[in-house]
């Protein structure tokens, strides 16, 4: 299949407005902006097949972020723990496939950040409402930490908390707007991160919600 390369200039150097958070971590400002309509259409199609749901933590608490997945592997949590699964536990079906626009965006953002040939097999789709937060955590359910994480923000703004290798390390408070992409890998791959409680706001395309796409090579 031939797909147009929407991100042909991806390997160019960082733009002046881009921000390096530390070695291996960078914010690519507005990197996804020009493809927001295609991304939102793809999210719509994914959630028609695999609706957003509030997973339970292993301790039995309902997560305030609503989640679904696209790609060969999907991140799930329940009483048995955190893991990647090939099928949506709610339907028993495979997760919706990774849309081409997702794959191109994730690969291009990783390349811009210095990680060539990133091929994600999992996209976690997170939905935040006003007051929703994501506490500081490390992403550690993936098979190989050599691959970076690519995180795309859509909708209302958020404050991304980006810490260090220890939970108690100082965190940077990084405002993220619709279209911003954060990439962290290499020495930053296991840095703690989270999202501060979402403030009431309005976005013309998404209303009062924030959607985050997190791309990983999990398997
Ligand atoms: C995550 O850590 O998985 C999501 C981060 C975000 O929503 O920006
Ligand atoms: Fe995470």
């Amino acid at each position: 299949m031939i797909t147009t390369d929407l991100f042909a200039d991806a390997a160019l150097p960082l733009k002046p407005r881009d921000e390096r958070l530390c070695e291996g971590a960078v914010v690519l400002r507005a990197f996804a902006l020009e493809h927001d309509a295609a991304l939102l259409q793809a999210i719509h199609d994914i959630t028609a097949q695999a609706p957003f749901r509030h997973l339970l933590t292993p301790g039995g608490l309902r997560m305030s972020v609503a989640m679904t997945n696209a790609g060969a592997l999907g991140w799930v949590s329940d009483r048995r723990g955190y893991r990647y699964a090939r099928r949506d536990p709610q339907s028993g079906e495979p997760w919706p496939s990774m849309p081409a626009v997702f794959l191109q965006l994730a690969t291009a953002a990783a390349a811009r950040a210095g990680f060539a040939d990133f091929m994600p097999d999992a996209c976690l789709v997170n939905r935040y409402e006003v007051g929703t937060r994501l506490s500081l955590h490390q992403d550690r359910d993936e098979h190989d930490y050599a691959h970076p994480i690519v995180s795309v923000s859509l909708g209302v703004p958020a404050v991304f908390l980006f810490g260090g290798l220890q939970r108690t390390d100082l965190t940077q408070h990084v405002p993220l707007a619709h279209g911003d992409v954060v990439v962290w890998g290499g020495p930053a791959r296991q840095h703690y991160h989270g999202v501060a409680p979402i403030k009431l706001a309005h976005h013309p395309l998404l209303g009062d919600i924030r959607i985050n796409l997190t791309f990983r090579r999990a398997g």
Side-chain angles (χ1 to χ4, degrees), residues 92-110:
E93 298 292 326
W95 297 104
S97 54
M98 182 92 71
V101 64
F102 277 26
L103 204 55
Q104 290 186 13
L105 169 63
T107 301

Side-chain angles (χ1 to χ4, degrees), residues 67 124 126 128 134 137 139 149 151-153 158 160 176 184 193-195 210-214 216:
M67 299 177 174
L124 176 63
N126 292 313
Y128 296 75
L134 186 65
H137 65 278
D139 288 6
I149 294 164
S151 171
V152 179
S153 290
F160 185 59
L176 294 180
W184 64 101
H193 58 279
V195 178
R210 171 176 188 257
I211 303 254
N212 166 266
L213 307 174
T214 307
R216 305 184 184 88

Side-chain angles (χ1 to χ4, degrees), residues 17-107:
R17 63 189 170 179
D18 295 336
E19 284 161 50
R20 215 165 257 296
L21 300 176
C22 67
E23 201 191 333
V26 67
V27 185
L28 306 173
R29 294 290 177 198
F31 191 84
L33 193 56
E34 64 176 308
H35 301 292
D36 63 353
L39 295 169
L40 291 175
Q41 180 61 52
I43 293 164
H44 184 267
D45 295 344
I46 289 163
T47 56
Q49 268 180 267
F52 283 116
R53 79 289 307 263
H54 293 273
L55 299 171
L56 289 184
T57 67
L61 299 175
R62 175 185 185 268
M63 295 183 72
S64 66
V65 183
M67 299 177 174
T68 187
N69 292 279
L73 292 169
W75 188 83
V76 294
S77 171
D78 60 20
R79 287 289 197 169
R80 286 158 53 207
Y82 304 128
R83 65 191 172 281
Y84 282 91
R86 295 203 167 269
R87 288 174 181 271
D88 178 349
Q90 208 158 278
S91 64
E93 298 292 326
W95 297 104
S97 54
M98 182 92 71
V101 64
F102 277 26
L103 204 55
Q104 290 186 13
L105 169 63
T107 301

